[in-house]
Amino acid sequence: HNEVDMKVKVMQFRTRSHPINNVAKLVTPVNAEAGHEEMINLRWNTIQCANHYEVFQTTDDGEWERIGTTNDNVFQQKGAPCTEYKFGVKATIDDQESEMVMYDQTI
């Protein structure tokens, strides 16, 4: 028998991700609900190949601020009594940031 000299070669690859301009359709709906002890629970559809999600909120003054980053499709935020909030989510895919997808109701 002849011996064959084989070398291992590892190649990294990644399948194509969703187009960044299609994120609003993929992440929708963004849902928010007030839970126990003023905890606000946010949830949205998972996007395959997303690096992470950024979560934003706005209060009565209308300014958007980033309140966190998560790798999951859920986020919790402690709310303040007698305050109305609106929430939005951005997804980052292949290091490109999507437009914000907003939850269309005030919490």
Side-chain angles (χ1 to χ4, degrees), residues 27 30 44 53-55 87-91 98-102:
V27 80
V30 175
W44 54 90
Y53 305 94
E54 292 179 88
V55 182
F87 293 95
V89 175
K90 289 183 180 182
S98 74
E99 295 291 322
M100 188 181 325
V101 178
M102 290 170 262

Side-chain angles (χ1 to χ4, degrees), residues 57-68:
Q57 80 176 15
T58 183
T59 54
D60 298 332
D61 63 6
E63 292 293 317
W64 286 100
E65 66 175 316
R66 187 176 70 181
I67 57 172

Side-chain angles (χ1 to χ4, degrees), residues 19-72:
I20 198 74
N21 59 356
N22 196 24
V23 169
K25 289 181 182 178
L26 297 172
V27 80
T28 304
V30 175
N31 294 308
E33 62 181 32
H36 185 63
E37 295 185 8
E38 299 166 354
M39 290 303 291
I40 299 169
N41 301 301
L42 301 166
R43 180 177 298 276
W44 54 90
N45 290 334
T46 301
I47 299 176
Q48 290 182 339
C49 302
N51 302 102
H52 62 268
Y53 305 94
E54 292 179 88
V55 182
F56 295 81
Q57 80 176 15
T58 183
T59 54
D60 298 332
D61 63 6
E63 292 293 317
W64 286 100
E65 66 175 316
R66 187 176 70 181
I67 57 172
T69 303
T70 181
N71 293 325
D72 297 319

